[in-house]
Amino acid sequence: MRRRTLIPLILLTAPALIAASRPADIAFRIKMIDPGYNETAAVADLNRDGKPDIISGDSWYEAPLWTKHHLRDIDYANGYIDNFSDLILDVDNDGWPDIIQCSYFAHKIIWLKNPGKSGGPWKETVIDDSGPTEFAFLVDLNNDGKANEILPNTTAPTSR
């Protein structure tokens, strides 16, 4: 008889013990980094200093003070900054994270080569210009265990 009363007691007290062991909430502070119009962002250690930087549209923001660095000029069209994906990939395998961006109105997918230690401008190379791209993902299409292929979402047929 004692065994039957012990099980309900354990079931009733278990949730209270779990709730009591919850850690304190993590404190967050809100900091405006840029009041611009960008829709997309990514996080990567662009300068390889061990701190995660933020990439968004025409700029990247260096941690921890979020110092703004220019990447490229991007057109503003129809109420949008024409950049709909910021993807991080070391395209040329030089050890520095590069950026892939997709535009809808300019119909381009581009690669921005990280200038590395030398600094300077990010060289822009067009990967594809066949149509509008709403967004894209890095995926593992060839099943090699690495998400190195771009899967774009194009929203209109091309005229080519």
Side-chain angles (χ1 to χ4, degrees):
M1 196 75 156
R2 181 174 170 97
R3 187 174 182 189
R4 285 186 178 172
T5 59
L6 186 58
I7 291 173
L9 181 60
I10 291 172
L11 292 176
L12 289 174
T13 58
L17 291 174
I18 292 169
S21 63
R22 181 178 176 267
D25 289 339
I26 299 171
F28 287 92
R29 289 188 324 251
I30 296 172
K31 177 176 177 154
M32 173 68 73
I33 295 174
D34 189 327
Y37 290 96
N38 291 309
E39 289 192 26
T40 183
V43 176
D45 183 7
L46 292 182
N47 56 358
R48 297 190 338 189
D49 65 355
K51 299 176 184 104
D53 305 306
I54 298 173
I55 301 94
S56 186
D58 61 357
S59 301
W60 70 277
Y61 305 86
E62 183 179 357
L65 300 177
W66 309 119
T67 306
K68 185 175 183 175
H69 300 275
H70 185 72
L71 287 170
R72 69 182 184 110
D73 293 328
I74 301 176
D75 289 337
Y76 179 82
N78 299 321
Y80 295 96
I81 295 292
D82 195 13
N83 181 58
F84 292 87
S85 288
D86 290 316
L87 307 172
I88 309 304
L89 179 68
D90 184 2
V91 175
D92 56 356
N93 293 315
D94 66 354
W96 292 87
D98 302 310
I99 302 169
I100 298 168
Q101 294 184 328
C102 303
S103 65
Y104 186 86
F105 302 106
H107 297 191
K108 292 181 183 176
I109 299 174
I110 64 160
W111 161 37
L112 296 172
K113 178 176 174 29
N114 190 327
K117 220 173 209 177
S118 65
W122 291 64
K123 182 182 175 208
E124 181 178 324
T125 302
V126 175
I127 296 171
D128 183 71
D129 64 354
S130 61
T133 302
E134 184 75 25
F135 61 87
F137 295 106
L138 291 174
V139 296
D140 181 9
L141 288 177
N142 62 359
N143 203 25
D144 66 355
K146 299 174 187 172
N148 291 335
E149 293 83 38
I150 303 168
L151 181 62
N153 175 37
T154 56
T155 58
T158 62
S159 59
R160 295 179 191 200

